[in-house]
Amino acid sequence: MFLLQSESLLQSRAAHLAFQKTSRLADVVTPLWRLSYEEQLKVKFEAQKKILQRLESYLQKFNGVKVTTAAPKLKGLCCLLHPIIPSPVIDGYRNKSTFSVNRGPDGNPKTVGYYLGTWRDRNVVCVRSNHLKNIPEKHSQVAQYYEILLRQSPMEPCLLFHEGGHWRELTVRTNSQGHTMAIITFHPQELRQEELGVQKETVKEFFTKGPGAVCDLTSLYFQESTMTRCSHQQSPYQLLSGEPHLFEDLLGLKIRISPDSFFQVNTAGAEMLYRTIGDLTGVNSNTVLLDICCGTGVIGLFLAQYASQVLGIEVVKQAVEDAKWTSAFNGITNCQFHAGRAEKILPQLLKSKGDGQLIVAVANPARAGLHYLVVQAIRNCRAIRTLVFVSCKPHGETTRNIIELCCPLNPAKKLLGEPFVLRQAVPVDLFPHTPHSTAGSGGSSSPCYVPPILDGRLMN
């Protein structure tokens, strides 16, 4: 017996399978995409309420803290929760996207997109992202042409480091003027410098004179990396073509952005967030603004016009260089930016400031939260009267940080300063279509994961 199927039927089934995969990917990366934006905001606001209710419980249970605030608050919450501030842009808002390379639904290992499935279940596939609501068309276009480049190349992709191969992830950054930076990560394996030179020339030729020229890249970078994540210091970003930086106009400033500098992925939403932070800090000409984990320094640079001095700390050296350039270009003279780990720099920096100076601090740490020595330094500095805590994860390490900042004096943990008190939380939605929001209060991973939550709490 023979089963005969028409080519059109096979193509129809393949198309149906692809549609199922893309819908599943949208449900993973942007779980709220089926809801109206108004409904999304309601979901996020309820999530923020639950976070604050858990925090109230933790503070009372683990530390015996009686949470009090002069401001009115909802029942069961540890502080005033403001209405969520919506994102000015709902679709295609990401200014940075990172795409992986792996086997697609059709089994082709040179597929560029986002992961679907889990490594534990061994069912991971790489699905193209051009249907995702949070990804701009320009990012998907560059990913599409990177895939064409890979499929033309005789070099294999690097799916697992120990199995060899070379082509790895693609990062695309854009600004509001439409300028585009592409960063290609390549595993050198045992290639000689001459052979690497051939691959770099191939990439440059493809995106400047070949099919990829339609992407109209402003900057094209190439990084040789033998690690999952590699900084510029560990392996420099090599500029193959175009300009070394992107520039963004934000809050009346011209901001410089390097390949690995942190910059909020929703530019229009970031402006709302930074203005909210400015309102919550209450900085004036008598205060020093301390910007911890400052990235490219935008928060401090924006508020420098109101403060007597701004002190920024950032671990990524390139980001600090961007902050210094932005400060000089915009004629801002009262900012100092320090490159290094906050736990090493902050204690010494605070010692140089007398208790007579009033300090307002803004902390915007990565997902791991603040290092314990940073929390200790903030807690023990009597000059810090107000702290705006902005976190990319409103539970886990952020909860631990806030408990340590608000708990009673604890000599055993060297928490000797008076505790902070939670005052208010202001959620700011930077990530439409996802469960996450930036709760601003006056407080790659693999690209298959949804963007991080930013949570801010004001304590003074």
Side-chain angles (χ1 to χ4, degrees), residues 190-402:
E190 304 299 325
L191 293 182
R192 300 187 303 273
Q193 283 302 313
E194 311 88 79
E195 295 172 307
L196 285 168
V198 170
Q199 297 308 311
K200 286 185 274 189
E201 188 59 34
T202 298
V203 170
K204 178 180 177 180
E205 184 78 12
F206 179 88
F207 279 105
T208 58
K209 300 178 182 179
V214 299
C215 297
D216 192 24
L217 297 180
T218 309
S219 308
L220 176 60
Y221 275 97
F222 186 92
Q223 186 187 39
E224 302 164 26
S225 175
T226 59
M227 297 179 284
T228 303
R229 288 288 180 271
C230 201
S231 70
H232 177 72
Q233 282 69 40
Q234 293 167 319
S235 181
Y237 292 93
Q238 303 170 49
L239 182 64
L240 300 185
S241 176
E243 302 297 323
H245 307 97
L246 288 182
F247 296 90
E248 187 61 85
D249 295 321
L250 188 69
L251 299 165
L253 302 171
K254 186 181 183 70
I255 310 295
R256 193 179 84 170
I257 305 170
S258 293
D260 64 343
S261 294
F262 172 77
F263 190 79
Q264 293 288 356
V265 299
N266 181 340
T267 304
E271 182 159 349
M272 305 294 291
L273 173 65
Y274 296 153
R275 290 191 184 280
T276 299
I277 291 172
D279 292 341
L280 294 169
T281 60
V283 293
N284 56 49
S285 58
N286 298 318
T287 58
V288 172
L289 178 68
L290 180 61
D291 193 356
I292 305 167
C293 308
C294 67
T296 52
V298 181
I299 295 173
L301 290 165
F302 168 55
L303 296 178
Q305 59 189 312
Y306 308 110
S308 65
Q309 185 182 25
V310 173
L311 302 173
I313 303 172
E314 169 59 37
V315 69
V316 178
K317 186 177 179 181
Q318 272 194 309
V320 171
E321 292 173 355
D322 288 340
K324 290 179 177 179
W325 182 95
T326 300
S327 178
F329 181 86
N330 291 278
I332 301 171
T333 59
N334 61 339
C335 292
Q336 295 179 9
F337 295 98
H338 303 265
R341 295 189 176 279
E343 60 268 25
K344 293 184 178 181
I345 295 175
L346 182 62
Q348 296 302 318
L349 197 60
L350 290 177
K351 284 181 181 179
S352 68
K353 296 295 175 185
D355 284 344
Q357 285 189 290
L358 183 63
I359 299 176
V360 173
V362 176
N364 186 9
R367 296 185 182 188
L370 292 174
H371 190 282
Y372 180 71
L373 292 178
V374 176
V375 174
Q376 192 179 96
I378 294 172
R379 177 69 188 266
N380 296 342
C381 180
R382 297 173 61 185
I384 299 177
R385 304 302 301 167
T386 300
L387 170 63
V388 179
F389 196 109
V390 185
S391 169
C392 62
K393 195 176 181 181
H395 40 76
E397 293 306 304
T398 293
T399 298
R400 178 182 62 80
N401 286 163
I402 293 176

Side-chain angles (χ1 to χ4, degrees), residues 182-193:
I183 306 163
I184 291 172
T185 308
F186 187 90
H187 198 305
Q189 301 294 353
E190 304 299 325
L191 293 182
R192 300 187 303 273
Q193 283 302 313

